[in-house]
Amino acid sequence: MKKKLAVLTASALAFSALGAFAGCSGDPYKDFNETARLYAERSVLLNDSVREKYWWGDDTLFMFHAYPNDTEGYVGNMSAAFAWPYTETIASNWRVATLSDGLKKQVSDYYKKTLEGFGYYRAFRNDYHTYCASRAGQMGYAAGDTYYDDNVWISREFLNAYELFGDDAYLQTSLGVAKYVWSGWADDELGGIYWCEQKKNSRNTCSNAPASLLFARLYEATENAEWLERAKRVYDWTYTKLRDPSDNVYWDNISNSGNITNWKFTYNTGSMISAGVKLYEITKEERYLNEAKASAKGAFNYWFKDKEGRDYKVITSNNPWFNVLLLAAWTELYPYDKEATLPYIEAYEANLNYAYADAYNGLMAPDWVNGWKRGEDGAVDYSAYGGDYGKGVNVLDMAANAENFGTLAYFYQYIKE
């Protein structure tokens, strides 16, 4: 019975995805293998659903935080997405655009509009090109806290856009924001990049590991050796200070006094795996690759567990955005460690497919293992989500679900042999 439900749900969603391309010339999936096509179609459908349900329109450049997005009862300004989830909607567009020239063409206008919308998060200051966590009412007038990790992701998205479209303005913005990120390096005995400029209490894996990867990629884009030196310095600091040597999985942060907060999140370890792979590709130093392999294995053992009734290992992390950075890392490592890495990706894939079978109203549950919280009538109970941030499912999770399937599609079309 479960299998039949899964097929019916997926079929209905696939039909909707095909409808999204009515009137478009050509088949954007025409050269895809069967598996890549399936996952690409799902990615496009979910990305289109985010656009339909969260994007207010190309004129306002406004992304809602939650769906349903009735602002009544929201706390503060939570009707507007924070910079972090807003950035993920752009990452989802980028992932779709990388899948084929046809999909790039179809998503480009929306993609560029979301990039333009970053202007509402840009801080009103003239020392650095940086972005605040909260959206302002006018472009360039944002105020409030600026997080170094937020700005890593924003710089990354401008770099992604530069690589796709070749517009030097995107590269210059990426570089400007990356300079701000580097300004967060603590010039003291402990070192590391702080988490938040206004609250310099900790140096976090989330502000260091992805910064190392960003800096390495900027070195590739500019051939400026300074970025490579920064990439290696930040990588080495994170590896030394925040890696759990018992399993090669990364802790969350270290305080100014040297105390470790030992939470572990998939995106932190994923970011270090990706940074290690990239530094290996640039330097050919085997240590980076070996360290990436060790963390890839450690992450799988830490977050994937047996569960009664499932014939695959179930992921214990229930944040789709955290998770997609681990999936991306495994796909990047795969060419250098195929036999070991493929089972990790396949287990991840099984979790995604299980969750997709429970899709509702064009959206996928943020909890891949248990699915949606539903009322007695079978409809999703949106009021069960959101907590202090207002009722409804947040755009971060929904856009990340789209990126997850896009990453799988890219893997099966362009990476896996």
Side-chain angles (χ1 to χ4, degrees):
M1 186 65 183
K2 285 184 179 179
K3 286 185 179 179
K4 185 177 180 182
L5 175 62
V7 170
L8 287 173
T9 307
S11 296
L13 289 170
F15 177 80
S16 298
L18 290 174
F21 291 106
C24 293
S25 59
D27 178 3
Y29 314 103
K30 65 183 177 65
D31 297 322
F32 279 45
N33 62 62
E34 184 179 0
T35 303
R37 182 182 183 110
L38 174 66
Y39 294 148
E41 287 178 345
R42 290 179 179 180
S43 179
V44 169
L45 167 66
L46 293 168
N47 194 55
D48 284 350
S49 191
V50 167
R51 181 178 185 177
E52 174 194 346
K53 292 176 169 60
Y54 294 88
W55 183 243
W56 195 352
D58 291 351
D59 294 332
T60 61
L61 306 180
F62 185 98
M63 192 73 71
F64 284 103
H65 170 76
Y67 177 81
N69 44 47
D70 181 355
T71 60
E72 184 178 350
Y74 275 64
V75 176
N77 67 345
M78 283 306 299
S79 58
F82 279 134
W84 171 26
Y86 184 86
T87 303
E88 176 52 24
T89 68
I90 296 169
S92 179
N93 284 326
W94 163 79
R95 184 76 278 175
V96 169
T98 65
L99 296 179
S100 73
D101 288 341
L103 290 175
K104 176 182 173 182
K105 182 177 180 180
Q106 289 172 12
V107 79
S108 285
D109 287 346
Y110 171 46
Y111 181 11
K112 290 178 180 179
K113 282 290 186 180
T114 52
L115 284 164
E116 186 182 343
F118 268 137
Y120 286 99
Y121 297 87
R122 184 169 177 181
F124 181 62
R125 53 194 286 182
N126 57 19
D127 55 346
Y128 285 107
H129 189 141
T130 184
Y131 296 85
C132 297
S134 298
R135 188 184 193 274
Q138 287 182 277
M139 283 195 175
Y141 283 87
D145 290 344
T146 46
Y147 291 84
Y148 294 108
D149 62 328
D150 282 357
N151 281 273
V152 170
W153 308 122
I154 292 170
S155 179
R156 179 193 68 172
E157 291 316 314
F158 280 107
L159 180 58
N160 285 343
Y162 165 72
E163 291 176 348
L164 266 176
F165 299 114
D167 186 339
D168 189 64
Y170 290 142
L171 176 60
Q172 295 310 313
T173 299
S174 179
L175 287 165
V177 180
K179 289 175 184 175
Y180 167 75
V181 173
W182 177 244
S183 77
W185 179 268
D187 246 344
D188 59 15
E189 190 173 321
L190 181 58
I193 297 173
Y194 289 108
W195 179 46
C196 178
E197 182 181 7
Q198 291 74 27
K199 304 166 188 172
K200 292 182 175 176
N201 303 319
S202 63
R203 303 101 195 270
N204 293 40
T205 304
C206 69
S207 51
N208 284 274
S212 175
L213 176 60
L214 171 67
F215 296 163
R217 289 182 59 197
L218 285 172
Y219 164 72
E220 290 183 315
T222 65
E223 298 184 345
N224 181 342
E226 191 171 41
W227 287 114
L228 179 57
E229 291 308 309
R230 291 170 178 172
K232 293 192 288 187
R233 185 177 183 183
V234 176
Y235 177 93
D236 289 343
W237 180 88
T238 312
Y239 184 84
T240 301
K241 300 294 185 183
L242 288 168
R243 179 183 61 92
D244 182 345
S246 72
D247 59 9
N248 295 297
V249 174
Y250 285 80
W251 294 306
D252 185 67
N253 72 77
I254 185 169
S255 71
N256 293 345
S257 58
N259 294 320
I260 297 288
T261 299
N262 62 5
W263 305 327
K264 293 176 179 178
F265 301 111
T266 46
Y267 76 127
N268 285 333
T269 298
S271 294
M272 278 299 283
I273 295 168
S274 291
V277 171
K278 179 57 68 178
L279 286 170
Y280 167 72
E281 290 174 345
I282 293 170
T283 68
K284 303 306 178 187
E285 292 183 33
E286 290 286 338
R287 59 158 286 213
Y288 293 119
L289 185 58
N290 291 335
E291 289 162 6
K293 290 177 181 178
S295 289
K297 179 179 180 180
F300 182 73
N301 290 336
Y302 187 86
W303 279 292
F304 285 75
K305 305 296 182 183
D306 291 327
K307 182 177 177 64
E308 187 176 353
R310 307 283 176 93
D311 59 359
Y312 57 88
K313 287 189 178 291
V314 167
I315 191 168
T316 58
S317 168
N318 62 357
N319 185 307
W321 183 83
F322 284 3
N323 296 343
V324 75
L325 290 161
L326 179 59
L327 175 62
W330 283 341
T331 65
E332 291 155 7
L333 178 62
Y334 172 83
Y336 309 105
D337 198 21
K338 295 182 178 70
E339 186 175 346
T341 309
L342 185 59
Y344 310 157
I345 297 169
E346 289 177 338
Y348 193 108
E349 178 183 3
N351 281 269
L352 263 185
N353 284 333
Y354 184 89
Y356 190 81
D358 192 41
Y360 178 86
N361 192 21
L363 298 174
M364 238 175 82
D367 182 345
W368 298 344
V369 177
N370 300 304
W372 287 111
K373 299 173 184 177
R374 297 174 182 267
E376 292 182 1
D377 61 354
V380 167
D381 180 10
Y382 293 116
S383 68
Y385 296 87
D388 293 337
Y389 300 123
K391 301 304 181 184
V393 289
N394 71 67
V395 71
L396 176 71
D397 290 341
M398 298 304 104
N401 280 330
E403 188 187 357
N404 269 286
F405 272 114
T407 301
L408 275 182
Y410 192 90
F411 172 72
Y412 278 106
Q413 182 66 19
Y414 300 112
I415 299 176
K416 185 177 182 293
E417 294 178 351

